[in-house]
């Protein structure tokens, strides 16, 4: 539900067919970009670059399941956080997934994957995606972004929105996994399977 001028417009979305994401529109948000590199760690790995690599792989996996997928950036640009959310609105997204990688600064110990949500109705999506991702890296859980982070891209109230931290670039062993194409493929498939699990649970 949203206003168009002074008119309240209600949209009713049909669920995807069983075992498919046909009819579902998903917006992927590769975090950072442009002058905002995100975190840098280890082997001079730049977060904005690996975010884009992961987002493209997740896009391919979701499309293979029938989803229509858009991204908030396709190049080394840096839309504002509000612009990223607006892109999802303009595409009438059924969900938004923001792609990031974590860092603990100079501390090489922290590791693992975690998924953030804000609105309670986004928690199930975060749970199903995190359950799949946790097979490949230490499972840090699905977590509320309130009050510590309150990420703009997870505040959406019109559709489920989550932010995934696909591992710690500050952990040397995990960084090597993050840069491994085979591991990237596994994480992309796990993300898509988590989305499918979410829709299967709604049926």
């Amino acid at each position: 539900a949203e206003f168009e001028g002074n008119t309240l417009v209600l949209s009713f979305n049909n669920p995807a067919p069983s075992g498919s994401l046909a009819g579902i529109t998903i917006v992927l948000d590769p975090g950072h970009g442009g002058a905002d590199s995100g975190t840098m760690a280890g082997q001079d790995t730049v977060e904005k670059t690996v975010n884009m690599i992961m987002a493209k792989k997740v896009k391919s996996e979701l499309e293979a399941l029938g989803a229509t997928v858009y991204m908030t950036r396709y190049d080394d640009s840096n839309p504002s956080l509000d612009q990223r959310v607006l892109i999802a609105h303009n595409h009438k997204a059924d969900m938004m997934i923001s792609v990031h990688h974590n860092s603990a600064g100079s501390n090489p110990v922290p590791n693992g994957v975690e998924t953030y949500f804000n609105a309670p109705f986004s928690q199930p999506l975060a749970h199903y995606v995190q359950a799949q991702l946790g097979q490949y890296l230490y499972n840090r859980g699905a977590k509320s972004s309130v009050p510590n982070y309150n990420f703009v891209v997870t505040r959406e109230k019109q559709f489920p929105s989550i932010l995934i931290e696909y591992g710690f670039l500050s952990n040397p062993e995990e960084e090597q996994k993050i840069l491994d194409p085979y591991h990237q493929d596994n994480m992309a498939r796990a993300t898509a399977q988590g989305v499918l699990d979410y829709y299967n649970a709604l049926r």
Side-chain angles (χ1 to χ4, degrees):
E2 57 187 329
F3 279 98
E4 291 183 2
N6 293 324
T7 303
L8 178 63
V9 178
L10 302 177
S11 299
F12 297 89
N13 299 327
N14 294 319
S18 179
S20 167
L21 294 177
I24 301 299
T25 298
I26 300 172
V27 170
L28 296 176
D29 173 39
H32 307 287
D36 179 7
S37 297
T39 188
M40 296 182 66
Q43 305 298 314
D44 296 323
T45 303
V46 181
E47 184 191 356
K48 67 177 183 178
T49 303
V50 290
N51 290 348
M52 179 61 78
I53 291 170
M54 274 304 308
K56 287 180 177 178
K57 292 197 172 195
V58 172
K59 182 175 186 291
S60 294
E61 294 293 336
L62 291 169
E63 288 174 338
L65 292 173
T68 299
V69 185
Y70 301 97
M71 300 209 300
T72 58
R73 66 180 181 94
Y74 292 88
D75 53 23
D76 191 21
S77 57
N78 184 25
S80 71
L81 296 175
D82 288 337
Q83 287 172 329
R84 294 170 193 252
V85 174
L86 181 60
I87 289 168
H89 271 273
N90 289 343
H91 286 302
K92 299 188 182 303
D94 292 293
M95 70 170 58
M96 183 176 186
I97 300 174
S98 193
V99 176
H100 284 260
H101 290 78
N102 222 333
S103 174
S106 59
N107 184 351
V109 176
N111 67 305
V113 59
E114 55 195 353
T115 303
Y116 287 94
F117 64 93
N118 183 307
F121 69 82
S122 293
Q123 183 175 10
L125 173 61
H127 167 79
Y128 284 108
V129 171
Q130 179 66 27
Q132 289 291 334
L133 293 172
Q135 300 177 82
Y136 298 100
L137 288 179
Y138 172 66
N139 191 338
R140 297 175 66 90
K143 304 177 179 181
S144 172
S145 63
V146 182
N148 294 329
Y149 303 105
N150 202 20
F151 303 117
V152 171
V153 292
T154 64
R155 295 179 200 161
E156 185 49 49
K157 299 299 188 291
Q158 296 295 327
F159 44 78
S161 53
I162 59 175
L163 184 149
I164 303 171
E165 296 278 8
Y166 280 93
F168 280 77
L169 292 172
S170 51
N171 180 303
E173 292 183 7
E174 196 150 280
E175 179 191 24
Q176 291 306 307
K177 287 185 178 180
I178 290 169
L179 297 176
D180 180 358
Y182 179 75
H183 174 77
Q184 293 166 357
D185 291 343
N186 283 337
M187 296 297 270
R189 279 192 294 270
T191 304
Q193 183 61 50
V195 172
L196 185 61
D197 291 346
Y198 166 76
Y199 278 108
N200 284 339
L202 293 179
R203 297 186 180 97

